[in-house]
Structures are given as structure tokens and as C-alpha cells.
Amino acid sequence: MRFILMMTGTRANWDEYAKWSKEDLERNVAFMRAFGKELKDSGVFVATEGLGWPGEAKMVRAGKNGEAITDGVFPESKEFLAGYWIIDVESPEQAYKIAARASAAPGPEGKPRGIPIEVRQVLSGHADLGL
Amino acid sequence: MKYILLMTGKKVGVESYLAWSQKDRNAHMAVLRRIAKELTASGEFVATQGLAGPQEAKVVLGEKGGMPVTDGVFPESKEFLLGYWIVDVATPERACAIAGRISAAPGPGGMPTNVPIEVRGFASYPEPES
């Protein structure tokens, strides 16, 4: 079963993150690298991506004639996707355990952040889209 | 330049999608399939994924006694990720144009859904010093 683990945050969370010390940032990135390597070594890793800053996010809607209407204004409460992991595991419980580890990634002064990680099953997107 | 196009929706939006006729759903999927095929042909396609319904979503908040703490209750206003496309394009404008085409995919009665598509770039982290 494939699951996606999603890390999200508001713009305020990003602003805080931007203030972390270099040491705190390096510790967090090192954790993420080790975590990714562990997922690969245990054979559950499918994909991971970290997304760019919300300041560069755009919202696109189709206009009347199908043209792209672009907007860059979001409500303060907007939860932006920060990054995700896709894993292939035996059960939802295994996915939750792995999500708990991501949730415990170190923040300022090395303390586990306990951030919420959303866990969802992914569908066979490629097959559905005839690829 | 790689971009991710995110389609999101609330639980109520997903419920209204489930109430679409089979014909409307087929027409919608046919357009999404055509867009994916065109992106593959133009070499801009990287990945796409659809997510399972929000009713099965869980949020994990750390662990207690070695077990993950899970919760399945979300506010009504919660925007769930429904699916995404990753494209590798020459310009941000091209990424927005593709998002516009996805937004224009037909809904009930063949009218465009005009669903908003969020367009984001990717983060880059420095390689560790060896």
C-alpha cells in the first residue's frame, strides 16, 4: 500500500523557520537526509520532495476562454504544503509509525518539533491517467 | 525548472464530485488523460498522483510509548490535497498555462470546473560537505 506523508505549514511557520540558527537548520536537514536514507535502506521509499517558499506560490484558475488567471494572494490561515514522502508499506499502521518519526524531526536547540504529518493513501495515478 | 501543480478541495467539494454522473466523470478524466499524454509527448511530464478520499485521512502528532499518536478529525475548512502533477518546463508562465488547462477540465454538464490549482517550485538544499 502506498501512502503519502505530508508536512504543511502557514506562512507564519515559514517566517519562524527562516529565523532558525544555521546550527538548527543543519541539524534538521541532517535528520531529513538520514530519515530518507533509512526509508531507502528498508525498501519502503518511493519519492520525496521539498517545496519552495509560499511567497512564490501562485493560484491558477481557468478564465472564460480557458486562459490561465494567476493570483498570488492567499489567506493568512492557508496551509501550504512544505514537503512530502511517498512510501510503500504493508499497513496503514506502518505508515503512521514512519510519520511519527518525521513528526519528531529536530527543531530549534535540537528539540523534537512534534509537527502534524498528514497521512493519506495514494491511488494508482499513473494507471488512471493512462500513462 | 520543475513545478508542482496541486489540486486541493474541502470534504464538501469531494462529496459533490462523488455525486457527478458517470458520464461527467468520464469526460473529466478523459481531458486529464489527454493533458498527461500531451505533457509526456512534449517531455514536460515528471509525475502525477491522485490521493485517496479525505475521509480516510489521518494526522500523526509525534508518538507516545513508541506508538504514533493519530487523529482523524479535521476542521470543515481543511483543504485536502486531491492530487498533483509535477512538470519540468522552460518558464513559470508555462507551468501556470498547464495549471489553467487542468482548471478548465470539464465538470457537470461539460462546464469547466475552474477549480483553483496551486503552482509551486521546489526547495533546494545545499549538498553536505564531504
Side-chain angles (χ1 to χ4, degrees), chain B residues 21-81:
Chain B
S21 72
Q22 193 58 48
K23 193 178 156 216
D24 287 334
R25 267 199 248 182
N26 290 346
H28 183 79
M29 288 311 292
V31 168
L32 294 187
R33 244 178 249 128
R34 195 187 314 140
I35 293 170
K37 263 195 188 138
E38 283 178 25
L39 294 174
T40 305
S42 65
E44 295 169 313
F45 180 85
V46 179
T48 186
Q49 194 69 64
L51 272 65
Q55 65 282 355
E56 286 161 31
K58 291 266 184 281
V59 67
V60 175
L61 280 150
E63 50 183 22
K64 216 174 188 179
M67 293 302 287
V69 179
T70 61
D71 187 3
V73 181
F74 297 91
E76 297 248 326
S77 60
K78 157 90 177 163
E79 292 276 348
F80 288 95
L81 183 63

Side-chain angles (χ1 to χ4, degrees), chain A residues 56-126:
Chain A
E56 288 158 29
K58 294 273 181 266
M59 197 62 115
V60 178
R61 275 173 204 271
K64 271 189 188 154
N65 302 312
E67 77 277 22
I69 298 173
T70 308
D71 185 5
V73 181
F74 297 91
E76 297 248 328
S77 60
K78 158 90 178 163
E79 290 276 345
F80 288 94
L81 184 63
Y84 63 81
W85 295 265
I86 297 178
I87 52 172
D88 195 349
V89 291
E90 296 298 320
S91 65
E93 289 69 30
Q94 196 186 348
Y96 303 151
K97 273 198 156 174
I98 294 170
R101 296 227 26 239
S103 172
E109 290 160 28
K111 288 182 187 143
R113 298 178 68 203
I115 52 166
I117 304 285
E118 188 182 333
V119 181
R120 306 261 300 280
Q121 200 177 348
V122 293
L123 307 171
S124 51
H126 295 252

Side-chain angles (χ1 to χ4, degrees), chain A residues 5 8 14 24 28 31 33 35 50 58 63 73 78 99 101 105:
Chain A
L5 317 182
T8 58
W14 251 275
D24 289 335
N28 184 267
F31 173 92
R33 280 214 179 89
F35 181 61
K58 294 273 181 266
V73 181
K78 158 90 178 163
R101 296 227 26 239

